[in-house]
Amino acid sequence: MKNNLLPSIILTLCCIGLFCGVYTVAMLGIAQLAPNGGRGEIILVSTDTTHRVATTTHRVATRKYYYTNIGQKFTDDKYFWSRPSAVDYNGAGSGGSNKGPTNPDYLAQVQSRIDTFLAHNPGVKKSEIPSELVTASGSGQDPNLSPQGAMVQVSRIAKTRNIQEEKLFALINEHVEKPLLNLFGTTKVNVLKLNLALDNLK
Amino acid sequence: MNTEINGIILMFVLTILFAYPLGKYIANIFEGQRTILDPVFNPIEKFLFRISRLDSQKEMNWKEHMVALLTLNAVWFLLGMIILMNQGWLPLNPDGNPSMTPDLAFNTTVSFVSNTNLQHYSGETGMSYFGQLMLQLFQFISAGAGIAAAAVVFNALKARSTEQLGNFYNYFLKSCTRILLPLSVIVAITIMFNGTPMTFLGKDQVISMQGDTMHVSRGPAAAMVAIKQIGTNGGGFFGANSSVPFENPNYLTNIIENVSINLVPIALVFALGFYLRKKKLAWMIYGVMTVGYLCLLIPTIYLEMNGNPMLANLGVTQNLGSMEGKEVRFGPAASAFWAITTTVTSNGSVNAMHDSLTPLSGMFTMLGMQINALYGGVGVGFLNFFIFIIIAVFIAGLMVGRTPELLGKKVEAKEIKIAMLIFLLHPFLILIFTALASYLIYLNPDLPWLNNPGHHGFSEMLYEYTSSSANNGSGFEGLADNTPWWNISCGVVMLLSRFIPIIGPVAIAGILAKKKYIPESAGTLRTDTGTFGIMVFAVIIILAALSFFIALALGPIAEYFSMS
């Protein structure tokens, strides 16, 4: 073992150079070409930056942006709600509820989510609520809903915003993301993009 | 047809399409033949061996191999402890995350050195970027060490009589540079162009549309996510692993990451066939593994797509399926596929929370780890399967009244004893420690360990030790596991179940290699036939699955029957 010790230490140091150093730096370099330079994909909302301060005009960098893939908490009646989250959509952490399928506390919690949803969406039948609207995601940052999860909220939003329901259905259909190549995976909508479009709807 | 099912079939087909040629490539590397990356890596490896004062051509016997492996791992262990206990003040810590307590550092170091990647910390708040980089190192080298051990066994099974089984350092370094590194580069680049971050910037602060302040954790994730999938490591950059949108942004990345889990373990099976010029044997092994895999996979997909009956009672519709702990962009089918793939291979990354799987699905994930030889971890999965082959050869030999033989070598008492001991270690560690933990809960019902009551709470503990002993690393994450008891006991389990099941099979192979080679005759029990495949499968079911039946009956099976 003694004869192996020094070579083992040096070989480990070499591996640090290769797999921590060279590999990471190379990936970091290539990432500069990736969306937003590898700093997370964003949606730019506004770049209006010209502010008048006293008599001089100078540009203040107040880029307003959201992370496209990181879900946000939407509980306001005027927005499409997002899924419940065990970490309250705070991207500083991530995680699911880790509740077992038969846990009585958990089932009571789902029941109360159903009740809240029905109270805010009069006229919707229980059997029309898709389960993702009352269950927490794995990451606590799920940015998506199934199209049905958005459709079931239309009448509430139409009333709150005084918009025709047809317009909202059309908006959802515009934002439906088909499965990969129309062949693989789920159909979904990005709640953030949908709500941004909703605010821009005239 | 259902697009979710299509996605699964695609992943299954892609895995084998890539694994077969990769197996040929790996066999070429072990044989020292020319491969396409020679111009890049030959000079680098030569240089590294020279400054490490290692002669990569020196042949070693099995004991020398194991000494080399253990010395390397001892060095890694010390390195890990030092860095994790000091990461708080070391550089590359923009979020100001703290140093680890000794028990958590012990658990985490053992976990990553042993290729387990059980995580009792959460990436966003418990690990600096410096610490993450070191874990990334372990993800390469622990996987490389596993593949090297498999290479030693391959070498020992050649048709000849020798003690010279190649050079460990050579197998180890080449596994890292020629197999793991190129594959990781490909995966890292594809996922970063789909939205996985690769930056050293810290948390960002955003005001949400509703006006809430939210923080968004980032980091050099793409590089680490790639090797965690390729090397059957599974330790994610972010707390909730590949369910986090940054770690696994869309369905395409999910396909790539999921295929990466199975890729090297299956390729190694084909590599054995090319290396020994016994392709039929490789197909037999692949066949047995795949049949076992499908037995776990199909019911799990069915159950998860069918939804949770308890939620159906509440009256909501489950068009997608059981969605607690799952992401809409993957859906229950792809989540079930990942859950089984990650547990049969000892990867342990997740794209859905296993704690919230329906009871029987939870059981199938546990069974995958309890068998731990259906594909298995890189290198070590084959070693575990090798143990089952030895036992099957012995039993088959007794049944037909022939001397047990494997590939022209007599299998005798000593080898069988080692094989049996290695096999028994796994259920022993899992069941004894689960029983101990259950007893502690019984003594102190107030211990704040469990996130769920009743049978499911028991399952959380059973899963934790199963995952530790299988060197898997996934968890029923509701378990409050960052306590001295769980950190230390899981650390001990991981340590024992990493090294003993490597040393055992290598020892058997070393002993077999020394024996006289007997050419095949009419009296030889052939190991590359379907009949022998069924034999191995039966041994796996009888030994592995039944060892755990009673424990499973107390946990997931009881929970299943309690549903109404």
Side-chain angles (χ1 to χ4, degrees), chain B residues 252-314:
Chain B
L252 178 67
T253 57
N254 190 65
I255 292 175
I256 293 164
E257 290 182 17
N258 208 151
V259 168
S260 304
I261 294 177
N262 262 346
L263 187 60
V264 177
I266 296 181
L268 277 168
V269 173
F270 292 121
L272 173 81
F274 289 115
Y275 187 83
L276 296 179
R277 311 275 183 290
K278 290 196 181 297
K279 284 190 205 164
K280 261 187 85 184
L281 178 69
W283 281 108
M284 184 280 285
I285 296 175
Y286 174 75
V288 173
M289 288 176 165
T290 303
V291 169
Y293 174 61
L294 292 176
C295 287
L296 300 174
L297 180 65
I298 292 168
T300 306
I301 292 173
Y302 172 79
L303 288 163
E304 292 308 302
M305 290 185 80
N306 237 2
N308 177 359
M310 304 295 274
L311 282 198
N313 291 346
L314 298 182

Side-chain angles (χ1 to χ4, degrees), chain A residues 108-120:
Chain A
Q109 192 184 17
V110 174
Q111 181 63 55
S112 88
R113 286 175 188 148
I114 296 173
D115 296 340
T116 310
F117 190 86
L118 291 175
H120 285 258

